[in-house]
Amino acid sequence: MQASDFQALGVAETFFRALTKLNYQTPTPIQIKAIPPILAGRDLIGVAQTGTGKTAAFGLPLLQHLIGGERRQGRGLPRALILAPTRELALQIDESLRQLASGLPLHTTVILGGVGRRPQVERLMRGTDIVVGTPGRVLDLLQTRDLRLTAVTHFVLDEADRMLDLGFIRDIRKIISALPATRQSLMFSATMPDAVTRLADGILKQPLRVEATPDKITADRIEQSVYFVRSGDKRALLSKLLADPAMARSIVFTRTKHSASKVAEYLCSGGTEAEALHGNKSQPARMRALARFRAGQARVLVATDIAARGIDVPDISHVINFDLPNVAESYVHRIGRTARAGAAGIALSFCDSSEIEYLRDIERLTGAKLTVAGGTTAPASTSRPQQQQRQQRPAQGRRNFARRSSRAA
Ligand code: AMP
């Protein structure tokens, strides 16, 4: 037995077959740090973002506790509650738990808004061990008493920072007040601003804090470059780049939902299979878009930050920032979609004259200068990207860009 393997962490043999099937050969750092204390029953704060293997970090010990605990408690009475900020993340957690628990007599139910409540209620009535849900619908079903939390022994709050960003704090507090006082609570968050720490104080008892992969390490594995381009030329540049078959599975990020739709339409009209993913789409439409992208029927997914948050699609070849995010942390989250589970990845960013400050913030946060791949010496932004300018500093790119802009004006 090797010190680093799952068995050494205390994971029961009953999960080995699922781990082999999933090809999880070695635990990730967050799994190494989090699994033993969770198995020992401790409350825990995991500072880790999606992509670090955090779902299995809490999922494996959670399932192991449930297998060892008393059997199903009956209608609408789950033993574990997992809250996630977005529907996509909730579905993904549910899927991961099902895979890890395959062959075991454990039932999960997903509770989310945007889809009919009746099938969810019916499933709860059949009896479930685990509920994975978004706060709004969970609270809704709690208030109608279709869901009761009195038998919950394990509670997980995932992506706590994003929960607060999305304004779920009141819903979360109400849900927590319906939980039994005696329980194990786990919280995961990519960042730990004061508001998250305060929330943790109210939920967790003497929690152990574990951290994995600071943002910079993720960013270090990713080849990052920037194209200085006029706003109106971004779509043409994107098409041009996507002509390269190496861009086999790419996520394109836009700042607005409207822009996500427009860019996807533009690509489709040019013959590139693309899907848009954003909050204005119905839940079934979002699921369809994601499924087509996952299956490779669409090469490109054009998404907003919130819609793409937490989405885990393996083998993303490129992340393209069609618009730079105005919050630098979002850049790190975005590019983390590529370079999953140790793989290398490529991130390309488009920067127009209104986004120079955002670029500066990103470089400050990651501590790295982005390689200038286009728009420094070439006129107009749709010109062929200039590769191999690795040593060029963005300051120079900015100067050239400014010169070009004033010429264009
Ligand atoms: P997560 O952070 O939970 O969203 O996981 C990110 C990705 O890593 C998912 O595709 C997982 O299936 C994968 N993963 C999780 N744990 C491991 C592991 N120990 N070895 C390889 N891949 C893993």
Side-chain angles (χ1 to χ4, degrees):
M1 194 198 325
Q2 292 188 359
S4 63
D5 76 6
F6 285 97
Q7 193 170 12
L9 301 178
V11 173
E13 223 175 298
T14 181
F15 295 101
F16 290 178
R17 201 194 310 194
L19 291 171
T20 307
K21 204 164 159 200
L22 286 164
N23 200 23
Y24 291 6
Q25 290 168 5
T26 320
T28 65
I30 191 72
Q31 289 162 1
I32 291 169
K33 290 179 189 170
I35 290 175
I38 300 175
L39 280 175
R42 287 214 46 182
D43 281 7
L44 177 138
I45 300 176
V47 186
Q49 54 184 299
T50 295
T52 54
K54 70 180 163 65
T55 313
F58 68 75
L60 279 168
L62 172 72
L63 293 167
Q64 194 159 321
H65 278 306
L66 294 179
I67 283 286
E70 282 179 32
R71 288 308 325 284
R72 255 183 288 162
Q73 301 280 332
R75 295 146 58 95
L77 281 170
R79 292 186 287 153
L81 173 69
I82 301 170
L83 291 181
T86 63
R87 306 164 196 177
E88 281 77 13
L89 183 60
L91 287 166
Q92 216 164 268
I93 293 170
D94 179 66
E95 176 68 24
S96 296
L97 293 180
R98 280 165 196 256
Q99 288 170 339
L100 291 169
S102 80
L104 302 175
L106 290 174
H107 295 256
T108 65
T109 300
V110 195
I111 300 288
L112 18 103
V115 288
R117 40 184 291 156
R118 192 127 155 240
Q120 297 174 1
V121 172
E122 282 169 4
R123 196 168 162 101
L124 281 175
M125 287 305 120
R126 287 202 296 274
T128 192
D129 299 281
I130 304 169
V131 163
V132 187
T134 48
R137 180 60 65 88
V138 166
L139 189 59
D140 186 8
L141 295 189
L142 209 51
Q143 282 163 347
T144 56
R145 300 190 61 77
D146 289 306
L147 171 65
R148 282 168 296 150
L149 298 177
T150 49
V152 168
T153 48
H154 298 83
F155 170 61
V156 182
L157 187 67
D158 201 7
E159 296 205 345
D161 50 353
R162 184 54 51 148
M163 290 277 197
L164 299 188
D165 287 351
L166 294 177
F168 285 133
I169 184 72
R170 290 181 64 180
D171 287 359
I172 290 170
R173 289 203 191 281
K174 279 186 199 157
I175 293 168
I176 287 165
S177 70
L179 292 171
T182 307
R183 59 170 198 259
Q184 183 178 32
S185 301
L186 312 171
M187 178 192 271
F188 285 81
S189 194
T191 56
M192 287 298 292
D194 288 349
V196 174
T197 307
R198 278 198 301 278
L199 181 64
D201 289 344
I203 298 177
L204 307 157
K205 292 196 184 116
Q206 298 174 327
L208 183 71
R209 178 174 161 145
V210 297
E211 296 194 28
T213 46
D215 288 343
K216 195 175 168 315
I217 292 175
T218 312
D220 281 351
R221 282 207 317 270
I222 300 170
E223 218 178 279
Q224 301 164 63
S225 48
V226 58
Y227 291 80
F228 294 103
V229 55
R230 280 200 323 218
S231 167
D233 292 335
K234 284 183 175 182
R235 294 203 295 199
L237 175 60
L238 180 63
S239 279
K240 191 159 193 154
L241 292 172
L242 285 168
D244 182 351
M247 293 193 148
R249 203 199 288 258
S250 307
I251 300 189
V252 175
F253 283 97
T254 60
R255 209 175 301 132
T256 67
K257 301 170 199 174
H258 179 71
S259 171
S261 290
K262 289 285 160 209
V263 170
E265 275 167 28
Y266 175 84
L267 293 175
C268 288
S269 69
T272 303
E273 286 292 332
E275 288 286 344
L277 191 75
H278 55 71
N280 282 355
K281 285 197 150 187
S282 69
Q283 181 61 11
R286 284 158 81 169
M287 284 156 87
R288 255 195 323 272
L290 203 51
R292 287 197 75 236
F293 182 59
R294 276 211 170 97
Q297 290 159 326
R299 275 172 69 206
V300 184
L301 186 72
V302 190
T304 54
D305 285 299
I306 288 182
R309 173 86 184 191
I311 284 175
D312 181 52
V313 178
D315 305 324
I316 299 288
S317 60
H318 294 73
V319 166
I320 300 162
N321 294 304
F322 187 87
D323 301 310
L324 283 181
N326 47 8
V327 177
E329 281 81 6
S330 298
Y331 173 83
V332 181
H333 287 307
R334 286 179 177 189
I335 69 169
R337 306 300 99 196
T338 184
R340 278 301 166 86
I346 298 175
L348 311 175
S349 297
F350 295 176
C351 179
D352 68 31
S353 59
S354 68
E355 297 172 308
I356 300 282
E357 277 307 314
Y358 301 154
L359 178 66
R360 209 169 286 156
D361 287 347
I362 288 163
E363 290 180 336
R364 212 172 290 132
L365 178 77
T366 60
K369 297 283 180 195
L370 269 63
T371 305
V372 180
T376 51
T377 53
S381 38
T382 51
S383 63
R384 196 174 190 79
Q386 310 246 314
Q387 301 293 347
Q388 310 303 329
Q389 299 189 22
R390 302 196 146 274
Q391 303 313 317
Q392 203 153 12
R393 296 176 67 82
Q396 184 185 346
R398 280 197 291 274
R399 272 198 304 277
N400 289 334
F401 176 80
R403 219 171 25 237
R404 223 180 44 249
S405 301
S406 59
R407 216 176 27 234

